[in-house]
Amino acid sequence: SKPSDHDPPVENESLLENLSIMGVDLPSARRRQPGVLRKLLTNEQGLAHFLKSKGADQETVASIISRFPRSITRSCEHLEERWRLWRNVFKSDREVVGILSRSPESFFRSSDNKNLEENISFLMTLGITTKDLHRLLTTAPRTFSNSVELNRNMVEFLKSVCLSFDGKDPERFARTVISRNLYVFIRSTNRIRANVEFLSRSLRLSNAEALALFQTHGAQILDLSHESLKKHFERLRMKLHSLGCDDADFKRMILNYSLVLFVSSERLNEKLDCLMDGGIHVKQVIQKPKVLDFSIDSIRQRLHDLNGLGYDFQKNGIAVLDMSKKRFLAKLERLSSAENEDTRSV
């Protein structure tokens, strides 16, 4: 019978059989990119042969196709050219295979090899390091789907931000922001501009303070949607005011570690209250706000462990709270040993 307009598109049974034999997770592929399974011309066998020639095993090939089915639409010529471009950045085939096994989208998302080559060339002319190119390709692959002109516009905008704060080296400023915020190329200049203007105006930043902020942890804050930034900003300020802080304290906290603005206001309030209840003074948190990065359970446990040993936060400070787990446990062991020595001497 003739199919009606309401019938679901028919999948390619021969393709489904091939993929099933290869070990591909068909429900996962169907959920991610269902249109691929309806194509009549695909290159799953060529892709498998190509990836195996680079060192991938059958399980890796199946996983790549399951998570990014469009990979089977790439021709062998396309794959060879794209691999060549990636190998100009990465050290070995094994390294590229490892990245594909973790993030197939980074390699297969774009089909435009010429655009990829032009973007790599453009970023290298900016002085972007090979290490940062690695990170861009693997963490923010959509950067290389942008036209070179679009990426150039972002770089020119970042340079203009530097100049607006009387910066003397706009190219270095742009490179530093990109290195600190790998997602900057997939954000709009309007978002970045709005966040820069809001932070510099609301905190009354001097030119030197603005340049320092946006070239360090503040570069990542530019990622937030403008509405989220404003909401988190105002709620944090209100919370600090309720704890007896003024605007100068609030500004100091943001300049010390602006990433606290990524934390939701509810979670932030809970962490601050926990710290206050544990004997920490709010002014200490302002000096060391990175402690707010830890989970509430981790903060509670560390306070419990330290208070159990009679740790004096007012005397010794709170740097102990934002140590790595390994260093914190070593610190606890030393404190415990010292307490046992004191007990024996008494």
Side-chain angles (χ1 to χ4, degrees), residues 23-283:
V24 172
D25 183 341
L26 291 177
S28 175
R30 188 175 288 115
R31 186 171 60 252
R32 292 168 188 270
Q33 293 162 355
V36 174
L37 301 182
R38 299 193 289 270
K39 289 187 175 294
L40 298 178
L41 295 176
T42 53
N43 188 35
E44 63 275 10
Q45 298 298 342
L47 173 65
H49 178 75
F50 176 82
L51 291 175
K52 288 178 181 179
S53 74
K54 303 300 183 184
D57 57 24
Q58 182 59 47
E59 185 179 353
T60 298
V61 173
S63 175
I64 287 171
I65 297 173
S66 300
R67 287 179 292 144
F68 203 84
R70 277 210 306 273
S71 59
I72 67 174
T73 66
R74 308 300 188 226
S75 70
C76 292
E77 293 78 10
H78 169 89
L79 293 170
E80 289 286 0
E81 176 63 13
R82 198 162 194 81
W83 200 273
R84 180 187 69 79
L85 294 172
W86 271 56
R87 283 289 277 107
N88 286 339
V89 177
F90 295 93
K91 293 178 180 178
S92 66
D93 286 346
R94 182 178 179 181
E95 190 176 3
V96 178
V97 168
I99 292 165
L100 266 63
S101 67
R102 297 191 301 273
S103 174
E105 181 194 22
S106 61
F107 186 85
F108 293 105
R109 185 178 188 277
S110 169
S111 61
D112 191 337
N113 284 337
K114 186 173 185 297
N115 191 60
L116 171 63
E117 185 169 26
E118 289 175 349
N119 268 314
I120 290 175
S121 177
F122 167 65
L123 292 171
M124 291 181 75
T125 62
L126 292 177
I128 299 295
T129 65
T130 301
K131 178 182 177 182
D132 284 338
L133 274 176
H134 285 203
R135 294 166 63 221
L136 279 165
L137 278 166
T138 55
T139 306
R142 283 170 52 196
T143 297
F144 300 90
S145 300
N146 290 346
S147 67
V148 176
E149 192 58 36
L150 188 60
N151 287 339
R152 183 178 286 112
N153 287 344
M154 177 57 77
V155 171
E156 292 305 315
F157 168 72
L158 292 175
K159 289 180 183 178
S160 72
V161 170
C162 177
L163 294 172
S164 72
F165 295 120
D166 290 336
K168 306 304 180 188
D169 194 344
E171 286 198 5
R172 181 176 177 277
F173 178 88
R175 280 197 306 273
T176 304
V177 172
I178 294 164
S179 178
R180 290 274 185 169
N181 185 348
L182 297 177
Y183 299 100
V184 69
F185 284 115
I186 56 179
R187 307 302 181 211
S188 70
T189 53
N190 286 339
R191 172 187 289 199
I192 306 296
R193 179 183 292 107
N195 287 347
V196 166
E197 291 176 352
F198 173 76
L199 288 170
S200 58
R201 180 180 67 253
S202 300
L203 292 171
R204 298 180 181 178
L205 299 177
S206 67
N207 287 342
E209 288 172 333
L211 289 170
L213 176 64
F214 297 127
Q215 289 183 95
T216 52
H217 43 81
Q220 292 170 262
I221 288 300
L222 301 178
D223 244 18
L224 274 172
S225 75
H226 189 53
E227 290 308 311
S228 293
L229 175 62
K230 289 196 296 185
K231 181 176 74 174
H232 291 182
F233 184 96
E234 292 301 332
R235 290 184 178 177
L236 175 58
R237 179 156 59 183
M238 288 171 60
K239 178 63 176 179
L240 291 182
H241 282 178
S242 74
L243 294 172
C245 299
D246 57 21
D247 282 345
D249 293 320
F250 174 63
K251 177 178 178 178
R252 191 174 300 114
M253 174 180 266
I254 302 301
L255 292 180
N256 283 339
Y257 195 61
S258 63
L259 297 185
V260 295
L261 293 173
F262 273 122
V263 185
S264 72
S265 55
E266 294 79 10
R267 184 64 66 183
L268 196 65
N269 288 347
E270 189 178 6
K271 291 179 181 182
L272 283 168
D273 290 341
C274 178
L275 288 164
M276 303 303 102
D277 292 342
I280 310 298
H281 194 280
V282 66
K283 295 294 180 80

